[in-house]
Amino acid sequence: QSVLTQPPSASGTPGQRVTISCSGSSSNIGSNTVNWYQQLPRTAPKLLIYNNNQRPSGVPDRFSGSKSGTSASLAISGLQSEDEADYYCAAWDDSLNGWVFGGGTKLTVL
Amino acid sequence: QVQLVQSGAEVKKPGASVKVSCNTYGYTFTGYYIHWVRQAPGQGLEWMGWINPNSGGTNYAQKFQGRVTMTRDTSNSTAYMELSRLRSDDTSVYYCAREVGSGSQNWFDPWGQGTLVTVSS
């Protein structure tokens, strides 16, 4: 059971906009920034969004992040087939004194 | 560019230990914490702990305390993760990742390619 809660799956058709939620608590998302990682099939995770809503260089602006209270969201607009991957949210947890992840959301492009 | 390159796959018997290495390139090794994260087959990511390559200080997730040891060799910019008393449910891909950022705003970038550790009799 993951500390951060994500839906196990999401889907959309090419060109659509999809959002993935990440729910936590006051000890993690409520008091620290949220990062998102993209894991393409059979590869290592890659940083997608950091500090709630910042994109590393090279990440398309189709990807955006937001945070409110103890929840965060990842939005992907103009969905493309290459976006098919697993997406994980992560945050530092002050009570556990460690990093916690969401269980991951498998995005399918129909 | 910044790269983390891990050692190859391992097969171990239950009760044995495994030591995975993470060779770093393209940055000052002692300037950034290294974290270890594992992923069981078909499962999500699980944080194991970090090492401060400068001081050697460590912080382990409670689940792994007593079984995990993280070390480093500054002479060759390499971090190590050793897990002992292996069980079948330790079968996972183990990743190292560099922590970037400052204060309470940090993230992992980049990640190593992963090392598959299989525990089987």
Side-chain angles (χ1 to χ4, degrees):
Chain A
Q1 199 79 334
S2 302
V3 174
L4 305 181
T5 301
Q6 297 179 235
S9 63
S11 63
T13 56
Q16 267 192 331
R17 182 178 187 271
V18 298
T19 61
I20 297 171
S21 62
C22 176
S23 177
S25 67
S26 59
S27 64
N28 42 65
I29 294 179
S31 50
N32 296 294
T33 57
V34 177
N35 306 315
W36 290 89
Y37 300 93
Q38 178 192 57
Q39 186 175 33
L40 297 169
R42 296 173 298 282
T43 68
K46 173 193 141 186
L47 179 68
L48 189 67
I49 297 287
Y50 65 98
N51 285 356
N52 303 327
N53 55 19
Q54 302 299 301
R55 279 187 313 277
S57 60
V59 173
D61 59 6
R62 302 186 295 104
F63 294 90
S64 61
S66 63
K67 183 185 114 169
S68 178
T70 59
S71 294
S73 290
L74 172 70
I76 309 171
S77 60
L79 201 60
Q80 298 181 5
S81 57
E82 58 258 40
D83 299 334
E84 199 160 271
D86 294 326
Y87 293 85
Y88 293 91
C89 58
W92 178 263
D93 191 293
D94 293 332
S95 296
L96 296 174
N97 194 36
W99 284 91
V100 291
F101 288 91
T105 298
K106 184 177 186 61
L107 175 64
T108 301
V109 180
L110 302 170
Chain B
Q1 76 278 26
V2 177
Q3 271 190 295
L4 277 60
V5 179
Q6 300 182 223
S7 49
E10 304 259 15
V11 179
K12 296 291 182 180
K13 294 195 182 304
S17 297
V18 68
K19 190 171 186 177
V20 180
S21 67
C22 174
N23 294 270
T24 70
Y25 304 92
Y27 74 97
T28 302
F29 176 64
T30 52
Y32 301 84
Y33 285 24
I34 292 289
H35 293 249
W36 291 88
V37 177
R38 76 177 187 178
Q39 184 172 36
Q43 303 300 308
L45 303 171
E46 181 176 33
W47 179 77
M48 299 180 69
W50 56 248
I51 182 168
N52 176 345
N54 188 42
S55 66
T58 55
N59 176 30
Y60 304 141
Q62 188 168 14
K63 173 176 179 176
F64 299 103
Q65 284 184 9
R67 278 210 307 144
V68 71
T69 304
M70 295 177 188
T71 57
R72 92 292 191 213
D73 182 345
T74 56
S75 67
N76 62 12
S77 301
T78 300
Y80 302 91
M81 186 284 299
E82 183 170 20
L83 190 62
S84 63
R85 304 194 300 278
L86 289 168
R87 308 184 292 256
S88 57
D89 61 358
D90 290 318
T91 294
S92 295
V93 175
Y94 290 78
Y95 295 102
C96 60
R98 185 184 72 155
E99 180 184 310
V100 186
S102 63
S104 62
Q105 298 183 341
N106 300 287
W107 55 94
F108 298 157
D109 185 46
W111 296 58
Q113 85 276 20
T115 297
L116 174 62
V117 175
T118 302
V119 183
S120 173
S121 54

